[in-house]
Amino acid sequence: MGFTVDAAGNCLIGEVRLVVEGGDQGLCAWSLDGVDSGGGIDGLATHRAPDATRATAAGPGVGSHPNGVVAIDHVVVTSPDLARTTSALQAVGLEPRRTREHGAMRQIFFRLGPVILELVGPPAPGGDGPARFWGIAFTVADLDATARFLGDRLGRVKDAVQPGRRIASLRKEAGLTVPMAFMS
């Protein structure tokens, strides 16, 4: 998909180090600076990020990606009980910044340093099951160039919810288990 990954599976994207592992499990866990969750936040495997894991220039080209990605815009988490998951995130010091109603879905946004967490689920509380990592959206330098690079693996470029921005989603036929979008 045009990401530069070193031999150890590290992929530097802006200020974030993404660790790529084989398999079809999708997004499995995250590490957050300054967050000690005891291993999880409402079902989300969570680790405290050691200071040494902050993304740094690890060598020529390590943070440069042929697909044009320059940052992670946001990570999407789904929950059957938004109130419960929001409380769990607040318990580790993360505060909601904005809420958006969208039909039968509610979105609650949190700031995780340079990355946004988009928590999505039904507005009514009380659903069963844990929160789950769902997908990831990347910011690119030039969305039209990214669309040319990815070709028919990428869906139609359209206006994003954010004014002045555009977005395109990777098609399922691209073969990845993690839903991905690319944004201007």
Side-chain angles (χ1 to χ4, degrees):
M1 296 302 139
F3 291 98
T4 302
V5 181
D6 70 17
N10 295 301
C11 177
L12 299 181
I13 302 174
E15 298 179 33
V16 177
R17 181 181 313 277
L18 192 65
V19 179
V20 180
E21 298 176 347
D24 59 357
Q25 298 177 44
L27 293 172
C28 300
W30 59 3
S31 296
L32 301 173
D33 282 343
V35 173
D36 189 0
S37 69
I41 300 173
D42 195 31
L44 302 171
T46 306
H47 312 287
R48 183 183 180 101
D51 292 337
T53 63
R54 282 194 172 237
T56 59
V62 173
S64 175
H65 305 284
N67 60 15
V69 166
V70 295
I72 295 176
D73 187 82
H74 62 277
V75 173
V76 181
V77 168
T78 62
S79 174
D81 189 331
L82 291 176
R84 184 192 68 219
T85 305
T86 298
S87 292
L89 290 163
Q90 289 176 308
V92 297
L94 303 175
E95 291 298 324
R97 298 289 183 97
R98 178 176 165 237
T99 299
R100 176 177 181 257
E101 303 293 333
H102 185 68
M105 174 179 64
R106 178 175 291 158
Q107 298 165 289
I108 303 172
F109 299 91
F110 299 78
R111 176 60 77 176
L112 308 174
V115 178
I116 295 168
L117 166 60
E118 178 182 339
L119 177 61
V120 180
D128 290 331
R132 299 272 184 230
F133 294 106
W134 187 78
I136 190 166
F138 300 97
T139 302
V140 297
D142 178 341
L143 186 55
D144 295 321
T146 298
R148 284 190 299 277
F149 178 84
L150 292 171
D152 62 2
R153 295 175 288 183
L154 194 65
R156 181 178 64 84
V157 175
K158 59 186 179 182
D159 289 338
V161 172
Q162 302 87 343
R165 295 186 75 190
R166 298 180 308 142
I167 188 170
S169 297
L170 199 63
R171 297 179 189 274
K172 287 183 181 182
E173 294 81 16
L176 296 183
T177 58
V178 177
M180 290 184 184
F182 299 88
M183 301 182 70
S184 61

